[in-house]
């Protein structure tokens, strides 16, 4: 019996970083097969196919320029070929595309394969909230874990120290995934509350939009700290309202919780676009095109999904920060409403 076969489904900025880590670990550990496939949505870069560039120069010149991928990472434009026979599937596509990807994979994945979602976002389902891991599980019928943390991709690629959290209900699989992902400078903690871990990864992007508005308005660090704290309170409140399993505060003290929230509110694309929105008055869509080089923004669409869910549960007034972000992004409310929501937050009443 050879090692486990690993496939990275997605090849953007974070997908390429994960392929770099998983690839180098797979190359040195007998637990895993040497070759790691990476599914790449084919596009042309400077007149050449991106997969050809990755497979000859071992660099994703569009989404992770300047960093070499291990030679055992092989770019494959055909989704089914990339995933054929995989024992571990790491899903790293923008959350808008996961349904489509899974529909194509249906019936082509090993029954006992293990999936890991690294996708930060939530979807709206018939009963309100649907986690991305639930969508993958329902469509493919495989066990799904999640990996979330304070992981700004370029810093992980540079090998700067950081932590991450794997949420995995099966302890044995959790250890295998830790082995695949951990390096001296990318430290993995495994916790069992997978749903809470995943909720953190989605909701922190909404808080980061609020933090970006404050930056754009020039409000300073004290105000931003209040956004982060009140945002964390709303994240915990939301998780308790919506997670099926237990929700303990200790999970919010892991990298996926408070650490990811802080780093996203100070770095990260959601903060950057929200700051530009407050300064320029241009639309979110326009700024996404101008500033993100084809990457997708997760905060505003997540705020819209949350708003629909909160409305259906009559819980809107309990989440003033999430609601203000939604109304500023989509209902034309003035950006300065972010301060009103802080001044009148139920926490202060």
């Amino acid at each position: 019996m050879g090692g486990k076969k690993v496939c990275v489904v997605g090849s953007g900025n974070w997908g390429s970083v994960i392929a770099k880590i998983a690839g180098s670990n797979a190359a040195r550990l007998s637990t895993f097969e040497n070759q790691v496939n990476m599914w790449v949505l084919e596009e042309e870069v400077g007149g050449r196919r991106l997969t050809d560039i990755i497979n000859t120069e071992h660099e994703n010149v569009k989404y992770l320029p300047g960093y070499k991928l291990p030679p055992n990472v092989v770019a494959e434009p055909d989704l089914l070929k990339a995933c054929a026979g995989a024992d571990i599937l790491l899903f790293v596509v923008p959350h808008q595309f996961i349904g489509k990807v899974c529909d194509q994979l249906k019936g082509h994945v090993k029954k006992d394969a293990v999936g890991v979602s690294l996708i930060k976002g939530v979807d709206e389902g018939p009963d309100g909230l649907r986690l991305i891991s639930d969508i993958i599980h329902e469509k493919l019928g495989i066990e799904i874990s999640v990996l979330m943390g304070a992981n700004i991709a370029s810093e992980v690629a540079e090998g700067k120290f950081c932590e991450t959290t794997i949420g995995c209900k099966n302890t044995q699989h959790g250890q295998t995934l830790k082995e695949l992902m951990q390096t001296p400078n990318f430290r993995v903690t495994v916790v069992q509350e997978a749903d809470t871990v995943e909720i953190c990864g989605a909701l922190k992007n909404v808080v980061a939009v609020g933090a970006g508005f404050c930056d754009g308005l020039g409000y300073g660090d004290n105000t931003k700290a209040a956004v982060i704290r009140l945002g964390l309170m709303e994240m915990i409140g939301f998780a308790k309202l919506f997670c099926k399993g237990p929700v303990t505060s200790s999970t919010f003290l892991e990298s996926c919780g408070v650490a990811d929230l802080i780093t996203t509110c100070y770095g990260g694309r959601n903060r950057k676009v929200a700051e530009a929105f407050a300064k320029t008055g241009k639309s979110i869509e326009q700024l996404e095109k101008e500033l993100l080089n084809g990457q997708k923004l997760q905060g505003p669409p997540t705020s819209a999904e949350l708003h629909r869910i909160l409305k259906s549960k009559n819980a809107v007034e309990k989440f003033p920060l999430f609601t203000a972000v939604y109304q500023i992004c989509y209902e034309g409310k003035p950006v300065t409403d972010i301060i009103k929501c802080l001044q009148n937050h139920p926490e202060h009443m």
Side-chain angles (χ1 to χ4, degrees), residues 3 26 105 116 133 139 165 200 253 274 299:
L105 279 176
V116 185
S133 60
K139 289 185 184 280
T165 312
C200 286
L253 298 177

Side-chain angles (χ1 to χ4, degrees), residues 233-234 241 310 313-321 323 345-346:
M233 298 307 289
E234 291 194 13
L241 205 57
L310 291 173
K313 300 257 183 191
N314 293 324
V316 171
E317 63 295 335
K318 291 192 186 125
F319 296 89
L321 181 66
T323 303
H345 202 281

Side-chain angles (χ1 to χ4, degrees), residues 191-250:
V191 301
Q192 289 203 303
E193 258 174 54
D195 292 355
T196 310
V197 172
E198 188 169 1
I199 285 265
C200 286
L203 300 186
K204 55 102 197 194
N205 285 327
V206 180
V207 184
V209 174
F213 290 156
C214 289
D215 288 344
L217 294 164
Y219 284 145
D221 281 340
N222 296 344
T223 309
K224 192 142 122 177
V227 168
I228 293 173
R229 188 187 77 81
L230 293 165
L232 182 61
M233 298 307 289
E234 291 194 13
M235 285 168 62
I236 295 171
F238 190 88
K240 288 188 168 156
L241 205 57
F242 289 94
C243 286
K244 296 181 279 287
V247 173
T248 51
S249 329
S250 61

